[in-house]
Amino acid sequence: MRVQMLGLCRFSYLGLRGYQRHHATIEERRAFLYDPARLARRWLWLRTVALPGWLAQTDPDFTLVLMTGPDLPQPWLSNLRDLAARHPQLRLELVPPMERHLEACEAAIAPHIDPAAEVIGHFRHDDDDAVALDYIARAKADFAQVRGLWQAEGRLSLDHSRGLMMQVGAGSVRFVPRIAHNMGVALTIFLRPDEGKTALHFNHTKLPLWMPGVAVTRPLMFLRGIHGDSDSGDIGPGIPWEIAPDALDRQLSARFGLARMDLEGLAQRLAGA
């Protein structure tokens, strides 16, 4: 069975809906999203936290669509173009502002659906989060174990729910281990190719309303960034688990290709920005 892994990462996409922060007009939204200092911070997050894991996946057979607006200021638009040109798994989609955010997301994803795929593993990814280096490989392998559930309804959520909450503020970084179900990161929504929906069409906090779900609680699979620019800035519910400081350093490297030194440097640069 051909499974296509297809994700969406919104980079300061200009639209009126789809975010928890409210703005009354498109002009207010544009001023907020395109603030130069904010864009510089988001780029730091993308390059330091999100990209290392995507560029070093053990299974490179996936597509991650970088979605933004055609009027994204420079140099950020050229930076995204350069990324997509260098890495075949990354595709840039410039979507004009749309009133209905989910339609905008569908417009970004639709050109990249593989007509030969029998099932699409949709995922969303924020530019301040990270997935493990084997996320794509494990999502495919775990789906193969439970695809009978998908075949019954044509929909299935696969939740890799063991992660680290990375709180960044005042020039420091703190890691909080959590098993957190359906956080939205390392969460795959398996749909039929003709469904006409993306992962963002389903509120990740209410997935059981629409489909069966499977939670996979090992191994460590995601890192979620929590900071002043977060659209949702709290840790949220979850089950704590323990990890020793030296084991944390090893896991950051082995699972995400990240170094604590770089993440602490990110925190300091953000504090000085």
Side-chain angles (χ1 to χ4, degrees):
M1 174 176 283
R2 165 65 176 152
V3 177
Q4 180 191 14
M5 293 293 291
L6 179 59
L8 181 66
C9 178
R10 301 166 296 174
F11 186 84
S12 293
Y13 170 68
L14 181 58
L16 278 178
R17 303 185 184 183
Y19 301 94
Q20 295 191 32
R21 299 191 189 197
H22 173 73
H23 295 95
T25 67
I26 195 72
E27 290 76 18
E28 288 183 14
R29 177 78 78 186
R30 179 181 282 108
F32 170 74
L33 290 177
Y34 290 176
D35 173 73
R38 180 187 179 277
L39 285 172
R41 293 192 298 269
R42 301 309 301 201
W43 184 252
L44 278 174
W45 277 101
L46 180 69
R47 289 306 306 262
T48 308
V49 176
L51 282 178
W54 290 118
L55 300 183
Q57 284 293 305
T58 58
D59 181 348
D61 183 18
F62 70 94
T63 297
L64 178 62
V65 177
L66 303 174
M67 173 185 176
T68 193
D71 63 342
L72 181 74
Q74 297 291 2
W76 321 115
L77 183 55
S78 291
N79 290 345
L80 291 175
R81 289 188 191 277
D82 291 344
L83 276 177
R86 292 198 305 270
H87 304 288
Q89 291 86 3
L90 305 182
R91 310 287 177 84
L92 179 62
E93 283 292 333
L94 306 182
V95 182
M98 296 175 64
E99 177 69 22
R100 298 187 178 278
H101 190 75
L102 294 180
E103 291 180 4
C105 294
E106 185 179 350
I109 285 292
H112 304 281
I113 290 179
D114 181 355
E118 298 171 77
V119 56
I120 311 292
H122 290 274
F123 57 92
R124 60 187 293 175
H125 192 80
D126 290 342
D127 55 23
D128 50 5
D129 295 337
V131 293
L133 304 178
D134 58 352
Y135 162 66
I136 295 295
R138 285 184 177 270
K140 291 179 181 178
D142 291 340
F143 173 75
Q145 298 295 315
V146 296
R147 69 182 184 185
L149 289 173
W150 172 81
Q151 289 171 327
E153 297 190 27
R155 293 177 174 180
L156 176 72
S157 66
L158 184 63
D159 173 30
H160 287 95
S161 50
R162 184 177 294 259
L164 296 169
M165 307 300 180
M166 184 174 72
Q167 295 179 304
V168 174
S172 64
V173 59
R174 173 174 175 257
F175 297 93
V176 182
R178 280 286 189 279
I179 295 174
H181 295 298
N182 294 339
M183 283 298 301
V185 55
L187 172 67
T188 314
I189 309 297
F190 292 92
L191 303 174
R192 293 191 174 97
D194 59 356
E195 176 81 20
K197 290 182 171 61
T198 72
L200 278 89
H201 279 79
F202 303 94
N203 184 328
H204 60 89
T205 67
K206 300 177 181 179
L207 281 175
L209 291 174
W210 300 294
M211 66 190 73
V214 175
V216 181
T217 58
R218 290 186 178 85
L220 176 60
M221 194 61 75
F222 73 84
L223 184 150
R224 177 173 175 246
I226 302 173
H227 51 95
D229 285 327
S230 297
D231 195 41
S232 177
D234 56 23
I235 290 179
I239 303 170
W241 58 280
E242 299 293 331
I243 185 169
D246 58 339
L248 173 62
D249 290 345
R250 292 194 299 270
Q251 288 288 287
L252 286 172
S253 175
R255 299 297 299 149
F256 303 105
L258 299 174
R260 185 199 287 262
M261 180 187 309
D262 294 335
L263 300 175
E264 291 173 345
L266 170 68
Q268 293 166 6
R269 292 180 68 182
L270 292 171

